[in-house]
Amino acid sequence: MSDPDFESWAREVAARMETVLSELLPTKQTTPSRLHDAMRYSTLGGGKRVRAMLVYAAGELADASPQRLRYPAAAVEMIHAYSLIHDDLPCMDDDVLRRGRPTCHVEFDEATALLAGDALQSLAFQVLAEPKLCDRADNQLKLLQVFAGACGSRGMAGGQAIDLEAVGKALTLPELEHMHILKTGALIRASVLMGAYCGREIPAPSFESLDRYAKTVGLAFQVVDDILDEDGDASTLGKTVGKDKAANKPTYTSVMGLPEARKFALELLADAHEALAAFDGRADRLRGLADFIVRRER
Ligand code: GRG
């Protein structure tokens, strides 16, 4: 069932992100204009902005100001756009459709797409070097550490490497879970933790519960992504469906079957709510996001 309050908040965050990202990205007129055009093309005008929403929702829990939160929210969306550009390249998933439009290398060219991804990554870290992003400088360093870890070989890039190696192989459930936690879960977890680091100090037991929520929704996101790749609608998703099966890639639906994968996603949703049980109404956006992540159709 859709929640009109959550939907209007989600639309508001998406609109805010469009403005923030547009301001932080170099203009098309700035030299080299083709590269900047490609960076803007891949970052603006599309995407659900789930990661930015998680930053804002976790920040809300810690009473962080939206003025501050726009920096990690923009940084995570830049890294996400970078990962999608590279993921779509012929040397990786070789896809032509993303967010309902031609992929970056199709619209521009492979070299430009590669550079656009690289430049988005450095811009993301530049944005996080904003002075006094957190009340305490050591929290800003922790934020950077979590974010860098989530992007690297023990995070998203590592998950992608395992994904590429797994083509045509049968993975066990623990192996599949490990791949998904790195490839998708790490950046989603980092989104939540970065939002929290921007606000007041959260006591360690509560921070651990928040981290449990973050890890759970991170895994749930990819389980649902696997379900939608099997069972979703290409025009709603704005990307090619059935690619994992065609590429003979192990997914939750290939390993567990579609009904079991759906059941697992709902179990993860219950775990995510359980992790937030001790929080008051300030965690309601995070609760709504867990529902959205698991029940989404795109
Ligand atoms: C960028 C550090 C870095 C490394 C590159 C290419 C690559 C290594 C990693 C790819 C990781 C990847 C593409 C994971 C899939 C994540 C995923 C489920 C993407 C879809 O996310 P949505 O549904 O997309 O949030 P929108 O379009 O709504 O933003």
Side-chain angles (χ1 to χ4, degrees):
M1 213 174 58
S2 64
D3 171 355
D5 173 60
F6 178 82
E7 278 172 22
S8 105
W9 176 76
R11 270 196 303 276
E12 195 255 308
V13 172
R16 193 187 312 163
M17 285 322 295
E18 202 62 18
T19 309
V20 170
L21 286 165
S22 183
E23 284 168 8
L24 291 172
L25 285 160
T27 63
K28 226 152 83 166
Q29 287 71 37
T30 310
T31 309
S33 61
R34 187 173 171 80
L35 176 59
H36 293 140
D37 195 7
M39 288 164 73
R40 296 181 75 87
Y41 175 84
S42 297
T43 313
L44 300 173
K48 296 178 287 299
R49 307 299 190 202
V50 167
R51 293 154 190 81
M53 284 194 265
L54 285 163
V55 171
Y56 280 107
E60 202 168 297
L61 181 75
D63 302 321
S65 78
Q67 275 300 91
R68 258 184 198 182
L69 292 168
R70 71 196 151 128
Y71 295 109
V76 74
E77 287 294 333
M78 286 177 192
I79 292 284
H80 174 53
Y82 153 43
S83 78
L84 299 179
I85 296 172
H86 283 197
D87 188 50
D88 291 331
L89 284 170
C91 62
M92 298 227 190
D93 272 5
D94 192 10
D95 218 326
V96 294
L97 186 67
R98 174 67 69 181
R99 293 177 171 170
R101 294 188 297 179
T103 47
C104 189
H105 66 276
V106 171
E107 184 70 15
F108 295 87
D109 55 79
E110 273 181 51
T112 304
L114 195 73
L115 289 171
D118 293 343
L120 280 167
Q121 170 158 238
S122 23
L123 185 57
F125 282 93
Q126 190 178 341
V127 162
L128 291 178
E130 177 71 18
K132 298 203 172 16
L133 188 59
C134 304
D135 285 341
R136 289 170 36 168
D138 58 339
N139 276 351
Q140 188 163 357
L141 289 177
K142 281 186 205 160
L143 178 153
L144 279 158
Q145 209 166 31
V146 163
F147 191 56
C151 299
S153 61
R154 285 166 292 178
M156 189 161 65
Q160 181 77 350
I162 299 173
D163 182 283
L164 293 171
E165 278 167 20
V167 175
K169 288 195 188 140
L171 292 189
T172 62
L173 263 184
E175 286 169 340
L176 185 67
E177 185 173 298
H178 179 62
M179 176 175 93
H180 279 8
I181 285 171
L182 298 186
K183 191 177 84 162
T184 309
L187 198 60
I188 289 187
R189 171 181 178 239
S191 308
V192 174
L193 300 189
M194 286 200 294
Y197 281 133
C198 287
R200 69 181 159 76
E201 206 68 15
I202 297 181
S206 301
F207 200 88
E208 275 162 32
S209 300
L210 186 65
D211 195 18
R212 205 180 110 210
Y213 163 89
K215 287 175 178 163
T216 308
V217 292
L219 178 59
F221 191 95
Q222 185 61 52
V223 174
V224 173
D225 200 73
D226 285 358
I227 294 171
L228 291 173
D229 188 62
E230 169 98 13
D231 199 33
D233 173 60
S235 61
T236 312
L237 288 166
K239 61 180 180 182
T240 319
V241 293
K243 279 215 66 171
D244 293 340
K245 196 185 243 176
N248 203 11
K249 273 191 185 176
T251 64
Y252 268 90
T253 55
S254 70
V255 175
M256 283 186 152
L258 191 54
E260 280 302 307
R262 285 210 178 97
K263 212 170 112 195
F264 183 48
L266 290 175
E267 283 166 15
L268 290 171
L269 177 59
D271 287 351
H273 280 287
E274 171 65 31
L276 297 178
F279 291 101
D280 61 17
R282 280 178 298 184
D284 281 352
R285 289 292 177 219
L286 289 172
R287 294 185 178 98
L289 270 165
D291 293 336
F292 172 75
I293 284 169
V294 171
R295 301 192 192 282
R296 70 200 164 96
E297 287 173 4
R298 67 183 183 100

